[in-house]
Amino acid sequence: MEAHPHATAPADAPALGSLPVEPLLTAEFDADPGAVYERLRRVHGPVAPVGLMGVPVWLVLEYREVLDVLRNEGRWRRDVRHWRARALGELPPQWPLLAGYEVRQTMFMDEEEHRTARRVHHAALRPFQDARSPEGWGLRAAVARSADELVALLAAESGRTGFADLGAQYTRPLLLMVTTRLFGCPVELRDELVMDLWRMLDGGPGAGPATARALAAFTRLAAHRRARPGDDFTSYLLLADPDLSDEQLGRELFMNAVYLNDITGNMVLNTLLEVLRGNATVRRSLSAGQLGETVNRAALANPPVANMCFRFAARDVLLGNYWIRAGDAVSPSAASAHRDLLDLGSSHMVGSTVSTRAHLGWGAGPHQCPTAARELGSLIVTTAVGRVFDHFAQAELTLPPDQLPWRSGPVVRGLRVLPVRYELAPGVLPPGRPEFPPATATGPEGGAGRPGGVLMALRRLISARNAPRPPGG
């Protein structure tokens, strides 16, 4: 965006607090967020003032403006201490989203502090990038094996044909199993951790206590791995920066758990949904064996992070039709911005791949997911999606797509459940009996721990007839 001649907003430019704002999180938004984004665009243009749980913020709606906010770190800050309303005490008491923003970790740092923290993450993830290294090979094998075990468990419970929730019975437990291994957890992580991450991101009842519980769990893990280091991400973070305290390390693990379990999990489920609902371009790429392109197309149609975390204006700046004052909070909307890419991709003047690789599923600019994290996330998503369609001869939704229950919070738009009727491919698994060896946890010394703990917990989960309750519900 070009510099504007005004150093400060003109006196007659309306301030955010003076504008009438409509609440974003409404029943209409829950049912059809696309319609809300379109109406806001018609009324306000590229940037709109909205109310978020009683707090006015700017929602950035068009792709060009979203990229400006994501790429210009000097103009748009991530550190919550730049938020004027917070500094002046203007937020409602116990505002539920604040707990997550006040976790001091890499995501909410700026400039050199942020670059230093990213270098630590790159160093810690590097051993897992190389498929030929013991860590990289072991992680890839673990992702595939865990996916196979979960399909085997479905077969043991329901036979060759049956019904499954690919959220509760496949995606969530798969990512918990991967996190257990990657982080070097001495015991298996449980589904309640995912529920706490949901509560924090969705700003639901109990968001503050949920954040505190998750932070406490990862701080305990940090202390455990400091005493008993192993070939895991937690230990490699300590190796890359030995000065990290247990609390600092716990905060970094917390951030990575959010991305690994919730954001990556949403990308898995959204990709599966786009295939199952019959998205033609997604299905064509899957049929061609282009799993990476399948994920790109699904992320474009349905990004795992609908509205990204706040940025805070470092100075007055004109964005769209409004002057944003220094210290105002802005939320870049990937879901709305992607509509511009979809319109571009449908044009006869450009190839469809032009827009798919510009999706914002992994962010953009200085704060986009680090390269190593993107590669790891892509590996998990492509493996998880690929394994489903390798093992299932048929799978179809048991609810119409417009009746699926969503978490339409201020940040993510993720499925609560993905119910399917499935039929296993011939020769994949013998009827009623798992073919694959049981899962094991990583023990305190990095060896095999108690076998079957995750799968036994999953048996109880699978036998529950009710879908998971909403966070705080």
Side-chain angles (χ1 to χ4, degrees), residues 28 32-45 61-62 335-340 343:
E28 179 190 7
D32 188 0
V36 175
Y37 296 139
E38 284 302 307
R39 185 179 69 253
L40 291 171
R41 282 178 175 229
R42 288 195 303 270
V43 174
H44 299 282
L61 297 161
E62 296 191 7
S336 179
H338 279 188
R339 302 175 79 86
D340 297 330
D343 290 342

Side-chain angles (χ1 to χ4, degrees), residues 180-182 184-188 225 232 440-449:
T180 294
R181 180 185 178 92
L182 180 65
C185 299
V187 296
E188 300 95 338
R225 275 300 164 213
D232 52 73
T440 59
T442 301
E445 278 73 44

Side-chain angles (χ1 to χ4, degrees), residues 91-170:
L91 300 179
Q94 305 300 315
W95 191 63
L97 292 180
L98 188 59
Y101 280 98
E102 291 191 328
V103 178
R104 184 83 184 145
Q105 37 82 1
T106 299
M107 185 190 304
F108 299 140
M109 297 175 182
D110 290 313
E111 296 183 321
E112 186 55 36
E113 183 185 25
H114 174 244
R115 289 188 286 271
T116 299
R118 281 176 70 93
R119 285 193 291 268
V120 171
H121 275 78
H122 274 292
L125 284 171
R126 191 174 298 125
F128 301 97
Q129 284 184 278
D130 185 357
R132 296 167 295 182
S133 72
E135 298 89 351
W137 181 88
L139 181 63
R140 285 158 174 77
V143 174
R145 184 174 61 249
S146 297
D148 291 341
E149 289 171 351
L150 290 166
V151 175
L153 184 59
L154 285 178
E157 296 289 338
S158 302
R160 283 198 169 276
T161 61
F163 298 87
D165 171 9
L166 293 182
Q169 294 174 239
Y170 182 73

Side-chain angles (χ1 to χ4, degrees), residues 145-154 156-157 169-170 173-174 177 188-190 434-441 450-463:
R145 184 174 61 249
S146 297
D148 291 341
E149 289 171 351
L150 290 166
V151 175
L153 184 59
L154 285 178
E157 296 289 338
Q169 294 174 239
Y170 182 73
L174 172 62
M177 293 163 82
E188 300 95 338
L189 299 175
R190 300 297 183 185
E435 177 180 288
F436 302 102
T440 59
R450 176 173 54 85
V454 172
L455 296 186
M456 290 302 295
L458 293 176
R459 286 181 185 276
R460 293 192 295 271
L461 182 64
I462 288 172
S463 64

Side-chain angles (χ1 to χ4, degrees), residues 33-34 37 262-275 277 279 281-282 294-307 334-339 342 359-362 381 401 404-408 411-415 418:
Y37 296 139
D262 203 6
I263 309 307
T264 305
N266 284 341
M267 193 169 280
V268 171
L269 287 174
N270 291 357
T271 303
L272 292 171
L273 173 61
E274 291 304 314
V275 174
R277 74 192 302 176
N279 184 312
T281 62
V282 174
T294 302
V295 173
N296 282 345
R297 290 174 183 269
L300 180 63
N302 200 353
V305 179
N307 299 313
S336 179
H338 279 188
R339 302 175 79 86
L342 290 168
H359 76 76
L360 301 171
W362 304 116
V381 176
L404 291 170
W406 289 88
R407 294 165 52 216
S408 293
V411 179
V412 302
R413 179 169 168 81
L415 286 166
L418 184 57

Side-chain angles (χ1 to χ4, degrees), residues 350-370:
V350 295
S352 60
T353 59
V354 170
S355 58
T356 64
R357 295 177 185 176
H359 76 76
L360 301 171
W362 304 116
H367 280 87
Q368 69 180 328
C369 291

Side-chain angles (χ1 to χ4, degrees), residues 94 96 98-103 192-193 195-197 199-201 205-220 247 250-251 254 258:
Q94 305 300 315
L98 188 59
Y101 280 98
E102 291 191 328
V103 178
E192 185 60 25
L193 172 66
M195 296 296 102
D196 275 343
L197 299 181
R199 293 180 182 107
M200 186 273 294
L201 282 174
T211 303
R213 284 193 298 270
L215 281 171
F218 289 119
T219 301
R220 291 193 297 271
E247 291 73 19
R251 292 195 293 267
F254 169 84
V258 169

